Structures are given as C-alpha cells and as structure tokens.
Amino acid sequence: MPSSCKELRQALAECLQESECVMVQRNSAADCLRQPLVDTLPLKCQQLKKGFGECRRGLVDMRKRFRGNQPVAYRQIEKTEATGEGYQMYAGKSAFAGSRGETDGNQKAPEDWREAENQKYREMLEAAGKKS
C-alpha cells in the first residue's frame, strides 16, 4: 500500500483496539467495522474509517493520477485536536480555524445589522425633530 494511507490505517487500527466494541464486547476489529457494530464505534473511529476509505478510493481515482493522494499526517490531526484549531483532511486550510473560538452559550448575541440601521434612523429622526 502506498505511504499516503499508512498513517490513517495505523490510527484506525489503534482506535479500534481501544474501542469498547473490541475491548469489552470482544468482537474482532473486522466485525466492528461492519454493520451493525460500526454504529457503536466512537465518533473518532468512524471518522478515521471514512477518511481511510476516501484515501483508498483516491488511490484509484483517475483525477488524482498525477499528484496522487495528499499524505495525511495523523500526528498533525492529534496536535490540532489538542490546540482546538480545526483541521480538514484533504482540503487545505480549515474552514473553522481562527474563528470565534469556543463558546458556552451564555454570551450575548451579536446585534442584528437591521436593528443597528433602525437605531441610526431613529436617532437621525430624533435629532431632526429637536432642530425644528
């Protein structure tokens, strides 16, 4: 297997070995990757399974025949997971990196731009009313 999928395969194997499906229920890793047990896997393992499948599919994709698969450094994924910055596997810079950050839901909602415009208009009318 080309080196572009090796790290994903290894990370998926490690995730499966640590999952409840293998450790507690004593199913084989191959059985855990098939229905209906695949739904019991942690989200991280399901994402690695999907990423590994896309990587393998990319090996035979004719659109990528010149450049090939872009290697995914799984260690980089773990690092971004620890720092909280987003990461997209095959699409360059993350769409969510450097955004507002984490919220707990108790912050004040940003003011709607329409309400801001209405407030400016009211102030303008009030100022015009005071002049006359």
Side-chain angles (χ1 to χ4, degrees):
M1 173 185 306
S3 62
S4 63
C5 299
K6 282 185 182 177
E7 281 193 9
L8 277 176
R9 182 178 187 269
Q10 181 182 1
L12 177 60
E14 289 173 8
C15 187
L16 284 172
Q17 288 300 321
E18 296 168 0
S19 71
E20 187 176 307
C21 183
V22 173
M23 296 295 287
V24 176
Q25 299 170 0
R26 296 290 187 197
N27 295 310
S28 70
D31 290 339
C32 290
L33 288 174
R34 294 189 196 101
Q35 289 291 342
L37 296 175
V38 74
D39 297 329
T40 64
L41 288 175
L43 182 62
K44 181 178 179 182
C45 293
Q46 291 177 7
Q47 290 172 340
L48 285 170
K49 179 183 182 290
K50 184 174 190 314
F52 181 62
E54 289 175 2
C55 183
R56 293 288 302 266
R57 194 172 300 116
L59 293 175
V60 295
D61 190 358
M62 291 304 286
R63 292 173 290 181
K64 297 180 182 179
R65 68 179 178 259
F66 292 115
R67 290 184 291 170
N69 272 337
Q70 294 184 7
V72 174
Y74 183 70
R75 303 296 171 225
Q76 183 180 2
I77 295 172
E78 286 181 336
K79 183 182 77 174
T80 57
E81 193 174 275
T83 60
E85 294 179 6
Y87 179 78
Q88 290 179 334
M89 240 180 233
Y90 292 105
K93 187 176 178 183
S94 172
F96 303 109
S99 63
R100 290 190 61 190
E102 293 186 25
T103 60
D104 62 0
N106 295 328
Q107 288 79 16
K108 182 182 173 192
E111 187 178 15
D112 188 18
W113 66 272
R114 293 170 287 216
E115 187 59 39
E117 291 294 321
N118 289 339
Q119 184 63 28
K120 285 181 193 176
Y121 181 71
R122 286 184 204 116
E123 290 171 0
M124 186 180 71
L125 287 180
E126 189 178 306
K130 287 181 181 180
K131 286 183 182 178
S132 15

